[in-house]
Amino acid sequence: MALKLIWTTQAVKGFNKVVDYLEAKWTAKEILNLEYKIQQVIDQINLNPEQFPKSIKSESLYKAIVDKNNYLVYRINNESKIIEIINFRGTKQKPKH
């Protein structure tokens, strides 16, 4: 299906917040591992955008678990052929989606 993938400003801020935490508490290895896992999830989304469960709070959003500590929320716009990553969050943060 190969849709274009974009990150919203909110998703980038969420990602940067997680990376800042990892930089303060862990090593570069954990950051690289997270980036690898994110890319794996994005590849899965590109192959089958509807494979992840829909968000509890909104039927138009999907929630993809990246690892036990992080997830991303995205939506599919079939008309414009875009997958929009709405948010990237740590699992311990209060859920918004």
Side-chain angles (χ1 to χ4, degrees):
M1 190 176 210
L3 302 173
K4 181 180 176 183
L5 188 121
I6 60 170
W7 286 65
T8 64
T9 303
Q10 181 178 341
V12 172
K13 284 180 185 177
F15 174 77
N16 288 338
K17 186 175 181 179
V18 170
V19 169
D20 289 345
Y21 173 79
L22 290 176
E23 286 176 339
K25 302 286 183 182
W26 302 95
T27 67
K29 182 179 178 181
E30 280 81 16
I31 297 168
L32 291 174
N33 190 33
L34 175 62
E35 290 174 353
Y36 175 75
K37 288 178 181 178
I38 292 169
Q39 189 57 54
Q40 285 182 311
V41 169
I42 288 171
D43 291 346
Q44 289 178 328
I45 292 169
N46 273 323
L47 288 174
N48 184 3
E50 296 178 6
Q51 73 177 311
F52 291 101
K54 290 190 175 191
S55 169
I56 295 169
K57 294 187 178 185
S58 175
E59 282 285 313
S60 66
L61 301 178
Y62 294 84
K63 185 175 179 180
I65 303 297
V66 174
D67 60 22
K68 69 179 184 175
N69 297 310
N70 302 288
Y71 67 93
L72 57 87
V73 177
Y74 66 97
R75 86 172 125 225
I76 305 162
N77 185 330
N78 288 317
E79 290 177 14
S80 59
K81 299 187 187 274
I82 292 175
I83 296 171
E84 185 178 23
I85 299 186
I86 303 297
N87 205 350
F88 184 87
R89 297 181 61 82
T91 55
K92 294 180 178 152
Q93 292 175 288
K94 183 178 177 185
K96 287 187 175 181
H97 304 286

